[in-house]
Amino acid sequence: MALSQALLEVLACPGCRGKLLDREDHLVCPACAVRYRVEDGIPVLLVEQAEPV
Amino acid sequence: MTNSAHQDLIIDQFSRQAIPFAKIPGHHDSVQLLIEMVGAGPDDTVLDVACGPGIVASEFARRSKAVTGIDLTPAMIEQAKRHQQEQGLTNLAWELGDIGRLPFADDSFSIVVTRYSFHHLLHPAQALAEMIRVCRPGGRVLVADVALPPEKAAAYDRLEILRDPSHTHALTVPEFEALFAGSGLVDCRQAAYGVELKLEATLKASFPKEGDEEKVRELVSFDIGTDALGIAARREEGEVVYTVPIAVLAGDKAR
């Protein structure tokens, strides 16, 4: 399920508050070099669960 | 306790509470009051922080443009999605995240609310600051939670920690007022209501440590006529019932 454009505009990295990039099944924070998974359309935006990219 | 150990406690409790919590009738009342206090309308974009099973988020969604609900517990978000589908609402989005580090840009929403979350927090002032940060200038921020008179707070906290080990401290009414007074919010306003609960039904929806259920039962039953706990415990038609006092504080983010 795709995330809406309106939501993507306000979502930010919980670590640095920087913009996130929408990549298939993940949101990527280029500044922190981590990605957050999106499970069944639900972004998991927890610093503890970020995966390095 | 460390932040992450405390988060684990919250997730453990609320994974088990996810279904029974949504079925307690008192949790569906009073949302109207919150909506009125922040004046939600068709242009509003709303964030419901620690949204639990999405009861508040879904009510706001009926009269706002869009609502986002965020919670720490996956089982709660699952319930929230289900509740949304049952209600046939389409203007809701859900996320997993932490109130202490909201994953949103500054000034993202016109209304930011949270209900029944602050008594689980280790750092309530930080949470309120985060809520204000993601709210637009001119937007509204609202917190509703248990609030006891200062002289009852310690006894109430002891009771609640037995019933729900993820409870930290219910702010007292003056603590709540001081939190808002020092927050930078303007035009602060306040309301109060009570959530009436039946002791046995509440215990069924609770997951205390082994042996603590009986302690909770005794503490509440013995408090009838004394009210050291501040919850007006009483017997009605043979059942022990009590009323949890809730404070609602709202303010506007300065333009």
Side-chain angles (χ1 to χ4, degrees):
Chain A
M1 196 169 78
L3 300 173
S4 81
Q5 198 52 45
L7 188 60
L8 284 170
E9 270 169 32
V10 298
L11 285 180
C13 171
C16 74
R17 296 177 188 171
K19 264 211 166 306
L20 294 169
L21 305 174
D22 188 16
R23 296 288 178 265
E24 204 175 328
D25 295 334
H26 285 92
L27 292 166
V28 175
C29 175
C32 299
V34 296
R35 62 181 199 174
Y36 300 93
R37 61 184 196 284
V38 179
E39 278 182 356
D40 296 329
I42 311 287
V44 181
L45 293 168
L46 291 161
V47 173
E48 299 78 10
Q49 296 196 25
E51 303 157 5
V53 287
Chain B
M1 193 186 309
T2 65
N3 211 31
S4 102
H6 184 64
Q7 286 188 352
D8 290 346
L9 257 184
I10 290 177
I11 293 170
D12 174 61
Q13 277 293 312
F14 281 95
S15 298
R16 294 187 271 175
Q17 289 179 26
I19 293 173
F21 180 93
K23 289 188 176 155
I24 294 175
H27 291 160
H28 291 264
D29 303 340
S30 74
V31 182
Q32 196 56 39
L33 172 68
L34 311 191
I35 288 170
E36 282 166 19
M37 279 182 73
V38 292
D43 293 330
D44 281 308
T45 54
V46 181
L47 175 66
D48 181 6
V49 180
C51 64
I55 298 167
V56 172
S58 291
E59 278 309 310
F60 271 90
R62 290 178 205 288
R63 51 206 90 209
S64 315
K65 187 172 161 193
V67 178
T68 301
I70 185 161
D71 202 276
L72 194 56
T73 306
M76 281 291 184
I77 292 293
E78 268 174 46
Q79 286 302 309
K81 270 175 88 173
R82 191 165 304 162
H83 185 64
Q84 171 193 355
Q85 282 158 5
E86 283 167 9
Q87 307 281 313
L89 295 163
T90 54
N91 57 340
L92 283 144
W94 308 103
E95 268 127 54
L96 281 174
D98 177 17
I99 191 167
R101 282 171 172 262
L102 289 174
F104 304 102
D106 296 356
D107 309 341
S108 291
F109 301 92
S110 63
I111 295 177
V112 182
V113 302
T114 187
R115 187 179 77 156
Y116 307 160
S117 63
F118 267 46
H119 63 273
H120 295 291
L121 303 181
L122 296 171
H123 307 292
Q126 181 195 341
L128 183 59
E130 272 294 90
M131 291 175 67
I132 296 169
R133 178 183 68 80
V134 303
C135 184
R136 261 176 228 158
R140 290 83 83 199
V141 174
L142 177 145
V143 178
D145 202 6
V146 181
L148 275 295
E151 67 277 14
K152 317 268 187 188
Y156 178 79
D157 283 340
R158 275 196 298 274
L159 172 78
E160 277 300 280
I161 290 167
L162 283 174
R163 188 189 66 78
D164 174 352
S166 71
H167 178 97
T168 56
H169 166 56
L171 293 177
T172 65
V173 177
E175 283 172 340
F176 247 120
E177 289 166 354
L179 191 65
F180 266 67
S183 70
L185 291 170
V186 296
D187 292 334
C188 291
R189 45 212 182 265
Q190 198 170 341
Y193 63 92
V195 175
E196 195 168 296
L197 296 170
K198 292 179 175 172
L199 176 61
E200 289 307 319
T202 304
L203 283 172
K204 279 205 185 82
S206 307
F207 302 89
K209 291 186 193 136
E210 208 178 325
D212 285 350
E213 180 173 323
E214 193 49 37
K215 290 184 198 162
V216 171
R217 194 174 277 122
E218 283 182 2
L219 278 173
V220 177
S221 307
F222 291 169
D223 197 40
I224 294 174
T226 310
D227 202 24
L229 296 168
I231 55 174
R234 59 206 181 270
R235 209 171 285 276
E236 284 176 9
E237 295 168 4
E239 273 194 275
V240 178
V241 297
Y242 59 97
T243 303
V244 179
I246 310 292
V248 190
L249 283 96
D252 298 352
K253 182 166 171 178
R255 285 178 196 273

